[in-house]
Amino acid sequence: EADIYQTPRYLVIGTGKKITLECSQTMGHDKMYWYQQDPGMELHLIHYSYGVNSTEKGDLSSESTVSRIRTEHFPLTLESARPSHTSQYLCASSALGQGAGANVLTFGAGSRLTVL
Amino acid sequence: AQSVAQPEDQVNVAEGNPLTVKCTYSVSGNPYLFWYVQYPNRGLQFLLKYITGDNLVKGSYGFEAEFNKSQTSFHLKKPSALVSDSALYFCAVSHLTSGTYKYIFGTGTRLKVLA
């Protein structure tokens, strides 16, 4: 079944640790996104990609980095986690091409990160 | 500046009553309009979208939305609310800027349906 998967769903780590949040989609979508969302609050775009080897920063400044080596995979990395990084991170994807503006975002279930 | 407004942080409605969740937008050109729903500890799920044509759009779970160009609004509606509709609802617009389409999300409205 075509879907978008995020791991881990929940992560509690100490300050200074390096973490990678994984995101994979099986829909063949070219566009992928990372949003940051405090629980029950608005979404902030932190990174996006239009295809392999293409990454851009979003509207909200973030200390995280992303890579897009394969179409289906868009991991997000924090080199040194801090308590201010505690949040929920949502990965999403959409198709690119004709009608792209009307294309629906498909979201993963989210990764809830807590940094102590 | 381009923006999407959801003026109500929370909407309470009794089960069986009609519900409306409001959304207005300020975007140049002809944007595409969307509603998404988020249940606790989940990502967002697509409900419906307006592209062109009939101003009343029908979507998942009995929801519909009415596009009003003169009022730049896209309110979400349902004739009879269910307790299971309780969730966080996001309005969004996709608009063309600098040659690419970008999404703008509203701040979300929490819907609480009371039994």
Side-chain angles (χ1 to χ4, degrees), chain A residues 13 25 29 39 43 59 63 83 104 106:
Chain A
I13 60 169
Q25 50 96 4
H29 285 166
L43 285 80
D59 305 319
E63 294 166 342
V104 171
T106 301

Side-chain angles (χ1 to χ4, degrees), chain A residues 32-73:
Chain A
M32 296 189 74
Y33 313 79
W34 277 104
Y35 287 88
Q36 185 174 341
Q37 181 191 29
D38 289 331
M41 301 294 283
E42 62 193 291
L43 285 80
H44 298 284
L45 180 67
I46 52 175
H47 297 282
Y48 61 98
S49 166
Y50 287 164
V52 172
N53 294 327
S54 152
T55 61
E56 303 284 346
K57 289 190 179 294
D59 305 319
L60 181 68
S61 175
S62 174
E63 294 166 342
S64 59
T65 59
V66 292
S67 63
R68 190 89 183 277
I69 299 172
R70 303 197 315 265
T71 298
E72 63 270 22
H73 195 213

Side-chain angles (χ1 to χ4, degrees), chain B residues 61-74:
Chain B
Y61 312 120
F63 283 93
E64 57 191 28
E66 186 165 15
F67 170 65
N68 187 316
K69 187 170 184 176
S70 63
Q71 296 184 4
T72 61
S73 67
F74 190 54

Side-chain angles (χ1 to χ4, degrees), chain A residues 9-10 31 35 37 40-43 48 50 59 88 90 100-105 107-110 112, chain B residues 32 34 36 38 41-46 49 51 88 90 94-95 100-103 105-108 110:
Chain A
R9 288 292 315 279
Y10 302 93
K31 296 177 76 170
Y35 287 88
Q37 181 191 29
M41 301 294 283
E42 62 193 291
L43 285 80
Y48 61 98
Y50 287 164
D59 305 319
Q88 172 157 257
L90 295 173
N103 287 332
V104 171
L105 295 181
F107 282 85
R112 188 176 296 280
Chain B
Y32 301 112
F34 303 79
Y36 289 82
Q38 185 179 30
N41 300 315
R42 306 290 301 179
L44 279 68
Q45 297 176 30
F46 167 72
K49 67 180 178 182
I51 306 301
L88 188 56
F90 288 95
S94 171
H95 69 106
T100 61
Y101 280 94
K102 293 198 172 178
Y103 258 78
F105 282 91
T107 52
R110 187 167 302 282

Side-chain angles (χ1 to χ4, degrees), chain A residues 107, chain B residues 34-40 42-48 60-61 63 76 84-91 105 109 111:
Chain A
F107 282 85
Chain B
F34 303 79
W35 275 100
Y36 289 82
V37 60
Q38 185 179 30
Y39 297 100
R42 306 290 301 179
L44 279 68
Q45 297 176 30
F46 167 72
L47 271 182
L48 49 79
S60 307
Y61 312 120
F63 283 93
L76 181 70
S84 57
D85 293 330
S86 298
L88 188 56
Y89 291 80
F90 288 95
C91 180
F105 282 91
T109 298
L111 173 66

